[in-house]
Amino acid sequence: MQSGERIHSMDNLRALAMLAGVVFHAALAYSPLMHPIWPAADAGRSVVVDALAWFLHMFRMPLFFVVAGYFAALLVARRGMAGLFRNRCARVLLPLLLFLPLVVASMEWLTAHAAATVAHPSPALAWIRSYIDAHGALPSMPGWAHLWFLFYLLLFTVLVWVASALELRRIGAWIASLPPLALALATPVLLAPALAGTGVPWPAPEFFVPSLWALAFFGAYFALGYQAFQRGDLLDRLRPLSPLLLGGAIAAYAALFWLTDGFANARTASSSQHLLHALLEACAGFWMILWCLLAGRRWLDRRSAAMRWLADASYWTYLVHLPLLFAIQYRLLDLPLHWMAKFALSTAVTLALSFASYQLLVRHTPIGRLLNGKRAIPQSPRDVAKAA
């Protein structure tokens, strides 16, 4: 691999994982599981949404952390530990400090406005309305909102330095050197205790104080990505298991969904049942992530102008999508449309507004350089001919 060469499969997987977040968050408004607590929850809902959206939830963000770990190892190899810290301060810390206040303020204003104006509020929005009537202000809900992943990326950057100083990489290297089938079977067993420390399905760790289960769970996936870069043969050795990984992930999730009655009785499960649910979660997520990595190498590891544009736009899209989504879905609450039409409309309009604002306001501005770095200037045909 030459210095500066892009890893197309990982770039594209990262973009798809972030864009899948838009679909997942849009689906929550029509999820029976989230109906009591999601402010934009619609009266129309279906168990089909829960079956599909929570399957996406099992591997979407963990896959993002695998890719983040892979690129962290790449940065260390190219620029050293100091280069990794400089990059994370510029691409993660600064955007978090700039966008978190804007995201939180806009979502609070949208929710307060919806609480005052929506004729058919969700249960959560109706509760917020009564709270505002009693206290004159929104309830205080401090946290990282949907930008929590940036906070954890910063923590994992520090842990990379700690692991390097303490020579802990040998543990990850030993696990990565296991035979493929042993690796696929043993890793979910190691992940299950972390998931057993929280609810099923696992919640977003949005609070300012880091959660131990999230550090262990997402940290393991970050370490997996780190090892995938350092051991270039890791995915090659797993490739023969690809069909089994996909089938096993779907089977494990189907068993989890059936045993918990669509997650409806997950909170009342006994300790042994909860541990079994956590193990099934770990199996479904880990095996699906391995399959995504293998599929990415097979189908996404090529230069594509459209995918490159999506990869660049995905960071901005993820930062701004939730306020846009809430603004749209709050207005849809009073419209007599089928939930599928509202789901499709809110997802499509959110993506369209995010992409348009990226192209018009971000891509060629300092904000674009802040999020994605300096873009390479496309070579002219004459330059290519000279290089040849």
Side-chain angles (χ1 to χ4, degrees):
M1 181 191 309
Q2 297 179 355
S3 178
E5 184 180 348
R6 296 187 72 92
I7 314 298
H8 299 296
S9 61
M10 288 295 181
D11 264 345
N12 296 334
L13 281 175
R14 179 173 54 187
L16 294 177
M18 300 194 84
L19 296 177
V22 179
V23 179
F24 173 71
H25 287 142
L28 294 184
Y30 316 102
S31 157
L33 182 66
M34 294 296 289
H35 187 75
I37 60 175
W38 193 250
D42 193 87
R45 52 193 186 273
S46 169
V47 70
V48 174
V49 174
D50 274 346
L52 298 178
W54 295 108
F55 181 62
L56 190 62
H57 177 70
M58 294 291 128
F59 62 91
R60 177 182 62 85
M61 285 309 293
L63 175 61
F64 171 83
F65 280 102
V66 172
V67 177
Y70 186 95
F71 281 123
L74 184 148
L75 278 170
V76 172
R78 288 179 177 174
R79 305 179 187 177
M81 198 65 71
L84 172 66
F85 274 86
R86 284 194 296 271
N87 179 277
R88 288 299 181 257
C89 286
R91 304 281 176 266
V92 179
L93 177 60
L94 193 52
L96 177 62
L97 295 177
L98 288 174
F99 284 97
L100 181 63
L102 298 175
V103 166
V104 171
S106 60
M107 291 182 65
E108 287 185 349
W109 184 87
L110 287 165
T111 300
H113 181 71
T117 58
V118 170
H120 301 91
S122 66
L125 195 58
W127 180 84
I128 291 171
R129 174 182 293 174
S130 63
Y131 187 96
I132 294 175
D133 291 341
H135 299 85
L138 281 170
S140 177
M141 295 178 287
W144 300 106
H146 65 294
L147 305 187
W148 61 267
F149 72 103
L150 297 177
F151 172 61
Y152 279 85
L153 277 182
L154 294 172
L155 294 178
F156 295 149
T157 301
V158 176
L159 290 180
V160 167
W161 174 76
V162 173
S164 177
L166 299 179
E167 295 293 332
L168 296 180
R169 287 176 297 177
R170 288 178 294 181
I171 300 175
W174 176 77
I175 294 175
S177 66
L178 290 173
L181 188 59
L183 176 66
L185 294 176
T187 305
V189 177
L190 298 175
L191 291 171
L195 291 177
T198 188
V200 175
W202 50 264
E206 296 177 343
F207 296 110
F208 283 133
V209 178
S211 301
L212 288 178
W213 75 265
L215 284 173
F217 180 63
F218 295 114
Y221 279 114
F222 187 90
L224 172 66
Y226 207 95
Q227 287 298 324
F229 175 81
Q230 294 191 319
R231 298 182 61 89
D233 65 333
L234 177 60
L235 294 181
D236 290 332
R237 292 191 292 115
L238 289 164
R239 189 165 50 192
L241 298 180
S242 182
L244 289 176
L245 292 169
L246 179 60
I250 294 173
Y253 179 75
L256 174 66
F257 199 78
W258 177 69
L259 288 173
T260 59
D261 191 20
F263 302 110
N265 61 20
R267 293 184 178 180
T268 59
S270 65
S271 298
S272 58
Q273 289 173 325
H274 184 64
L275 188 57
L276 174 61
H277 297 164
L279 179 60
L280 290 171
E281 267 192 307
C283 289
F286 184 68
W287 293 341
M288 195 63 200
I289 285 165
L290 292 184
W291 183 83
C292 286
L293 292 172
L294 295 169
R297 291 189 71 179
R298 180 174 181 182
W299 290 303
L300 298 176
D301 195 18
R302 61 189 60 138
R303 187 186 301 275
S304 163
M307 287 304 299
R308 176 65 191 277
W309 189 91
L310 277 179
D312 289 344
S314 61
Y315 194 0
W316 167 258
T317 298
Y318 199 83
L319 290 175
V320 302
H321 81 278
L322 204 53
L324 292 172
L325 191 58
F326 269 44
I328 297 164
Q329 290 187 327
Y330 280 147
R331 295 188 69 84
L332 291 175
L333 286 176
D334 291 334
L335 296 183
L337 296 174
H338 192 275
W339 70 264
M340 285 193 288
K342 292 183 179 182
F343 178 32
L345 186 63
S346 59
T347 304
V349 174
T350 298
L351 287 174
L353 291 175
S354 299
F355 290 161
S357 60
Y358 170 74
Q359 183 63 35
L360 297 174
L361 306 175
V362 174
R363 185 168 176 81
H364 303 288
T365 69
I367 302 175
R369 288 194 291 276
L370 169 67
L371 299 181
N372 299 317
K374 187 177 181 181
R375 291 192 303 115
I377 300 174
Q379 290 184 307
S380 67
R382 179 176 297 177
D383 293 333
V384 174
K386 285 181 178 178

